[in-house]
Amino acid sequence: MSSSLIERIRSIQDSLPESVKLIAVSKKVGPAAIREAYAAGIRDFGESRIQEAQSKIEQLQDLQGITWHFIGHLQSNKAKKALSYFQWLHSVDSLKLAQRLNLLAQELGVVPKICLQVKILPDPDKSGWTIQQILDDLTELNLCKNLQIEGLMTIPPLGLDSSEVIYVFNRTRELIAEIDERNLSNIKMKQLSMGMSQDYQLAIQSGATMIRLGTILFGERQL
Ligand SMILES: *Cc1c(COP(=O)(O)O)cnc(C)c1O
């Protein structure tokens, strides 16, 4: 990449509709680059590992107004930590985890914003609800009063062509509409967290409200 981080952020921000929030995925990115992104105006950062995030969040305490988004698979023994470091959890992927977070949120006196992670197509590499499972679990999820259930998150399986990716994104949007038709008191689906570096433009065309971009901003991650 020949442009600078700041130039890349500016040009992507300028291309986004007002309705779309850019989350800069800073996993495996050091605090210095996060500071640069902050200076370019980013206030939403995504992390996928609790331990890595904890250390960076502590080092960046002086930056005002950051919202931290957890986007990785959350093990239940890290759930409490996740709630103390993150305001948003995009990757709540089972009823059991949601119920545990609900209890912990009450204990901690917080009301996290969450997205429910769905798998529109079968994907052995990912966790999340199938369409049928999430429809079945809505009544129980609605009882999780300490969670602010904001929407759905999805990641298409690897190796799809663009028409299949579009299908996944559109089906996720339709699922939000189906869930809203149930008129549940605690579940008002407004957010569609979908779209990464490779497919964010398709996601926006399908109605994404939050895109999660890593590589296209910060460059290839070291493994
Ligand atoms: C790593 C990650 C991203 C960012 O992926 P890029 O392809 O680097 O943009 C977005 N969402 C989730 C859930 C991720 O784990």
Side-chain angles (χ1 to χ4, degrees):
M1 278 184 248
S2 54
S3 55
S4 70
L5 174 59
I6 290 183
E7 286 165 346
R8 292 193 294 275
I9 289 172
R10 295 251 159 92
S11 94
I12 289 176
Q13 283 283 32
D14 288 348
S15 75
L16 298 180
E18 292 261 342
S19 55
V20 177
K21 183 187 286 294
L22 169 59
I23 298 169
V25 175
S26 50
K27 63 187 184 199
K28 302 199 172 147
V29 169
I34 297 177
R35 285 183 187 278
E36 252 189 87
Y38 181 93
I42 298 283
R43 292 295 178 271
D44 291 270
F45 291 91
E47 289 280 341
S48 59
R49 297 221 166 119
I50 296 294
Q51 208 168 339
E52 176 191 339
Q54 178 182 354
S55 132
K56 285 190 273 182
I57 292 171
E58 284 167 359
Q59 291 174 65
L60 297 166
Q61 288 292 352
D62 58 302
L63 301 182
Q64 303 291 308
I66 291 187
T67 300
W68 292 97
H69 300 255
F70 189 74
I71 62 172
H73 176 63
L74 184 57
Q75 293 163 279
S76 67
N77 63 346
K78 305 251 172 81
K80 193 165 189 175
K81 230 171 206 174
L83 289 176
S84 43
Y85 285 90
F86 291 87
Q87 295 78 49
W88 272 86
L89 307 173
H90 290 237
S91 42
V92 177
D93 55 15
S94 71
L95 180 59
K96 207 165 159 230
L97 177 61
Q99 290 172 329
R100 180 166 168 75
L101 288 166
N102 185 54
L103 285 178
L104 290 168
Q106 181 165 35
E107 259 176 60
L108 295 168
V110 295
V111 183
K113 294 177 197 278
I114 72 164
C115 293
L116 307 173
Q117 183 171 353
V118 294
K119 284 199 287 197
I120 298 299
L121 296 175
D123 188 346
D125 300 330
K126 291 190 189 72
S127 47
W129 277 272
T130 65
I131 293 174
Q132 192 54 51
Q133 284 164 347
I134 201 161
L135 294 171
D136 291 345
D137 283 348
L138 284 175
T139 312
E140 290 291 322
L141 286 164
N142 191 46
L143 299 174
C144 295
K145 303 288 183 200
N146 304 298
L147 305 179
Q148 194 166 322
I149 300 175
E150 291 271 347
L152 299 179
M153 188 274 250
T154 201
I155 308 170
L158 288 174
L160 300 187
D161 67 29
S162 54
S163 68
E164 294 165 321
V165 170
I166 291 169
Y167 168 78
V168 167
F169 290 152
N170 284 339
R171 187 68 188 87
T172 309
R173 189 192 62 234
E174 290 163 14
L175 183 55
I176 277 204
E178 283 167 50
I179 292 171
D180 268 343
E181 279 168 19
R182 304 269 177 111
N183 267 317
L184 296 160
S185 57
N186 193 39
I187 303 182
K188 298 282 172 265
M189 296 261 166
K190 301 180 290 279
Q191 303 290 343
L192 268 173
S193 172
M194 56 190 199
M196 311 180 13
S197 294
Q198 294 300 325
D199 56 20
Y200 75 95
Q201 280 148 327
L202 299 179
I204 290 170
Q205 284 165 25
S206 297
T209 62
M210 307 176 102
I211 56 173
R212 309 176 310 269
L213 304 185
T215 312
I216 200 173
L217 301 177
F218 295 108
E220 293 291 337
R221 289 178 287 274
Q222 309 291 320
L223 290 176

